[in-house]
Amino acid sequence: SSGINAEWPLRPGGYEAIGLVDSSLPTVGIWAHKDTVESDIRTDPGAHEKYEQGIVFYMDQNKVVGVLTWNIFGKIPIARQVIAAGEEHQDFGLLAKQFDIHTKH
């Protein structure tokens, strides 16, 4: 299961995923709002918000064990490196910058 809430107001598109992408794990989502260049760290975006693309990190004890990108393509090699590093993460905005979420893909 992807862990993406079907009620989230995501624009139609596609996704890529790698690692342990399991809805029982805690997640951190970084979403690019369609009307701004700033990222928004959200675990439950509001119904009135519209997000074009984003990334979901699946966590196990502060370590990224899975990555799902929504409308961001070709970033699996970066996701693989993040997972393989096995480091603990606290700054997800900084981590998401590696995935260039504000560029139209």
Side-chain angles (χ1 to χ4, degrees), residues 37 82 93:
V37 296
V82 168

Side-chain angles (χ1 to χ4, degrees), residues 36-58:
T36 183
V37 296
E38 298 176 11
S39 61
D40 191 9
I41 299 175
R42 289 295 192 84
T43 55
D44 188 13
H48 65 284
E49 307 281 350
K50 297 294 180 194
Y51 295 91
E52 297 287 338
Q53 54 198 32
I55 185 165
V56 178
F57 298 105
Y58 289 78

Side-chain angles (χ1 to χ4, degrees), residues 32-34 52-53 71 100-105:
H33 193 279
K34 74 176 188 84
E52 297 287 338
Q53 54 198 32
N71 286 339
D100 195 23
I101 69 170
H102 297 292
T103 300
K104 296 292 181 196
H105 296 269

Side-chain angles (χ1 to χ4, degrees), residues 67-99:
V67 176
L68 180 141
T69 61
W70 183 263
N71 286 339
I72 300 172
F73 302 100
K75 302 297 182 179
I76 292 301
I78 296 169
R80 186 178 287 119
Q81 290 174 353
V82 168
I83 294 167
E87 299 174 0
E88 290 191 11
H89 294 281
Q90 302 296 324
D91 187 345
F92 293 95
L94 183 63
L95 185 60
K97 285 183 180 182
Q98 296 179 58
F99 294 86

